[in-house]
Every structure is written in C-alpha cells, then in structure tokens.
Amino acid sequence: HPNIVAIMNESWADFEDFGNLTLTESPMNYINSVSNAIHGHAYTSVFGAGTSTSEFEFLTGNSMNFLPSGSIPYQQYVKKETPSMASYLSSLGYYTIAMHPYRAAGWDRNLVYPKLGFDEMHFQEFFTDSPLVRKYVSDEGNYEKIIKLYEEKDADTPLFLFNVTMQNHSSYSDWADYDNFSPDITVEGSDSKLLPAYLSLIRLSDSAIQNLVSYFEAQEEPTMIVFFGDHQPADSVVRPVWKLNGKDDADLTDEEEALRYKVPFFIWANFDIEAESD
C-alpha cells in the first residue's frame, strides 16, 4: 500500500511527438529522462477543454463512450455515492484527498468529490500563500502543498492524493499582463505567439515535477507518482504545429485527428518497479 500521488496536469501535451518541431529547448527534458518509471501515452475523450471529463474517466474507470455526446458527468450523473478509485482505496485503508488550486464550484467538484469517496478536499483558499504564474497557482506552489499534506498525514496510514493543476490553463496570449512569466522557448519556423508561451509553461511543469520527485526520492515511505495530461490545448495553440508538419488542422486524416487526443503520462516510484516505455 504505497502512497499514491496522482497529478492530472492542465493541458499537458507532447508536441515534439508530432514531429518536425525544432525548439531552443525541449520543455520535457527531465520528464523524458525519469528512470525507474513507466512512460507512455493515453487518449483522452476531449481536447482544448473539458478537464472534468478526463478526471471522471480516470477516477471512475468509466468511459465517455457510453454516455451521450457532450455530457458532463460531474454535473449530470454523479448525484449520489459513485464507486471510484478514491472509495476503493479507502476500503484498503487509504486516507484520500482531492486538491485543485482554483474555484471549488468549478465543474461542481465540491459536490462531486465527497460522492466519489474523498475524505478531504482543498481548493483555491488553501493556496492563498502560493506563488503564481500569470494569474494561476504555479505547479511549484501546488506541489509544495502536496508535500505539506504528506508531512501532516498519519505515518501509519497510506495516502491517495488526487491533484488537478491549474498553471498551464489558457489563455496563452495574456502573459505580458503579468510580471511573473515570460516565454523563454522559441519555435524555429513559426511566428506563433501562443505556442512559445504554452511550451514555456510546460517547461516550468517539467522543473516543478523534478523537484517533487526529488523530494519523494528522499522519503522512506514507499510512494508512487502518476502524472498525466487532462487534454491538449486549444486549436489556436496546436495549429502552428500542424503547419510546421505541412498540415492544415481543418483537413486531417482520421489517424491525424486521433493525435489531438493523445497525452503523455509517466508513473514513477521511489521503490523498484519494472520500467517500461509506451
């Protein structure tokens, strides 16, 4: 029963996987190098928006394929106690926490999380002293709160913590309005203003998760980190990537269209696991 820290990172995607993308720096240098880990890709049911859909699928194991198109399960279907990863782990003796550094009522999370079996939940008010990137709580500040909750837990009780981040949320055009972020990755052959901003945010996520992994490497309690993206960003960000590959996002093959739903993940542990890739 290791501690399990599951992080669904906002709009986290791997555009280098599309091909023909030359950058001044890879935004995922650390993540791609993480050892003692399982690396792979998953397919989401949404892109550009709809975070709670991926959240619902991950936590419950239910597929959106069996619900009407356009459904929002958190607001339409989770009206009573619903089996989930949280309730199952609770039955094994885990203490379960859900955490999101934004509004509690977003997607009705404050109503849904207790029905999914979470013992505790934290929202925007929990992060009043956390550093920001643009107007959102940074991943670095977010993970500092994970460490705080881990250090406060009962040493004899395993922890399941589910965290939905906020740092990389759109819009990617307003960064000049803030003095706490400036894009530092450039894209060869593209005049897009949005893509470099997005990729620079992803690089900050890479640095932040490195610090969290380093922290748990030093801990004695067996702990696993599950890290994945909720969906890709909007078309306005992805369109320049297609253009660099000689494609128009309005005229994609089915196989290319499927790439819009592809997100990376990795599973790391501070104890030996069998490393895999894809």
Side-chain angles (χ1 to χ4, degrees), residues 167-180:
Q167 173 190 283
N168 303 331
H169 201 284
S170 60
S171 157
Y172 309 105
S173 62
D174 61 352
W175 58 266
D177 296 337
Y178 305 93
D179 60 4
N180 57 19

Side-chain angles (χ1 to χ4, degrees), residues 11-145:
S11 299
W12 186 57
D14 180 11
F15 290 148
E16 291 177 287
D17 188 53
F18 279 48
N20 200 36
L21 190 64
T22 303
L23 310 175
T24 51
E25 178 184 358
S26 171
M28 291 170 52
N29 273 331
Y30 171 72
I31 287 172
N32 288 334
S33 71
V34 174
S35 58
N36 195 51
I38 298 168
H39 291 265
H41 290 85
Y43 285 92
T44 63
S45 291
V46 292
F47 68 83
T51 295
S52 68
T53 299
S54 299
E55 197 171 328
F56 169 78
E57 289 188 317
F58 176 76
L59 287 172
T60 68
N62 294 315
S63 171
M64 293 299 295
N65 192 52
F66 302 111
L67 294 175
S69 178
S71 295
I72 303 174
Y74 273 15
Q75 296 178 329
Q76 294 170 278
Y77 301 117
V78 185
K79 300 297 183 181
K80 60 183 180 180
E81 186 175 311
T82 300
S84 80
M85 196 180 299
S87 59
Y88 174 68
L89 290 172
S90 288
S91 74
L92 299 181
Y94 279 76
Y95 187 73
T96 59
I97 300 175
M99 192 173 85
H100 177 52
Y102 207 55
R103 297 167 187 154
W107 300 117
D108 289 347
R109 286 186 178 97
N110 57 332
L111 304 177
V112 168
Y113 283 156
K115 294 181 175 66
L116 294 179
F118 282 101
D119 299 311
E120 186 178 318
M121 52 185 174
H122 296 285
F123 297 104
Q124 198 167 29
E125 297 73 21
F126 185 60
F127 297 85
T128 52
D129 58 345
S130 297
L132 304 179
V133 169
R134 301 173 299 149
K135 65 179 179 179
Y136 301 121
V137 172
S138 69
D139 282 4
E140 188 68 46
N142 190 335
Y143 302 157
E144 287 172 358
K145 294 297 186 182

